[in-house]
Amino acid sequence: MTESTTVSPDPATSAGSGQGRSRMPSRTGRRHGTRRAGRIGQVHPLVALLWLAPALALILGVVLYPAIKLFDASRGEYSITGLRKGDAGWSNYTKVLEHPDLGTVLRNTVVWVVAVVAITIVLSLALAQFLSKSFPGRRFVRWAVIIPWAASLVITSQLFVLLYDYNYGIINHVLLSLHLIGQPIDFLGDDSWTMFSMVVVGVFVSLPFTIFVFIAGLGAIPDDVMEAATVDGASPWQRYWNITLPLMRPALMIATVLNVIYVFNSFPIIYTLNDRNPGYLHDTTITFMYKLAFKSQEKDVGMSAAAGIFNVVLILVVVGIYLKIINWREETSR
């Protein structure tokens, strides 16, 4: 009896085996698969433009078009009633630069922005650290922090006008009751107190947004990093200075840039609190623009528009310098 043996072809080398072809895909097949995957991940430019069209239209209508009209207005000559009489060239820019109160306005702007942003950042870091801890009623405290941010700036500023009132303000009443002062303080009429009073309101309305940005930044820090530092014997201050603050850098940068822009353009606070004072002694660039057009002797729309162009350029320069400094520090720390 003869024993028969059957030798199966090697699937790796057999050209006729379907199983072998399925196990060892050809290079052509791999190339086609890669191309198909690439086509799936790509979006046609027209489709992308269609999805971006609403955002682009909003930018054109809200940002670019007003900017073009502002520049056009800055080169126009206007009557006292606001009617355009012709082209003024660059004379409006020259008149703004030669304005006798421009130095005072720029100094006030620097003090206002630096003081409000710096105090807001420092207080927000401390309050965000506190609100990140677990304690009874934390949710309600966080809700309460949002209120100044949700309220209208005009309403908030008018509320502080009442609080600062010389005769009936509650702040003077409390200070007199505690015998901390001998007579009421004219917070909004005394030149030595006006800027301080405005900064307090600016910080008050800037805290909520900054606090929540920092809370989000603290929540993104991994717990195991802090636990490792604690095990290594780092003190709370060392953990905060060497771990928390460096990891909070993105949140700090976002909060600082947005607050600089926000405080620069904070018209309602300065105008509402400073409306009773004549001249430009406590004005910043944003209220300076308004008064040039509507409340000054000039009542010149062209000068006001030119001052607006200067204000935009000033904001861009300040933000650009800040971002450059931040990038330089990151490069040197690597």
Side-chain angles (χ1 to χ4, degrees), residues 25-48:
S26 64
R27 295 181 179 178
T28 304
R30 288 198 295 270
R31 285 197 298 268
H32 286 309
T34 304
R35 291 174 183 172
R36 285 194 298 270
R39 285 196 297 269
I40 292 174
Q42 292 177 352
V43 179
H44 195 278
L46 292 178
V47 177

Side-chain angles (χ1 to χ4, degrees), residues 309-325:
I309 295 294
F310 281 132
N311 191 59
V312 173
V313 172
L314 183 61
I315 294 174
L316 294 177
V317 169
V318 171
V319 172
I321 293 174
Y322 173 76
L323 294 178
K324 189 68 176 178
I325 293 173

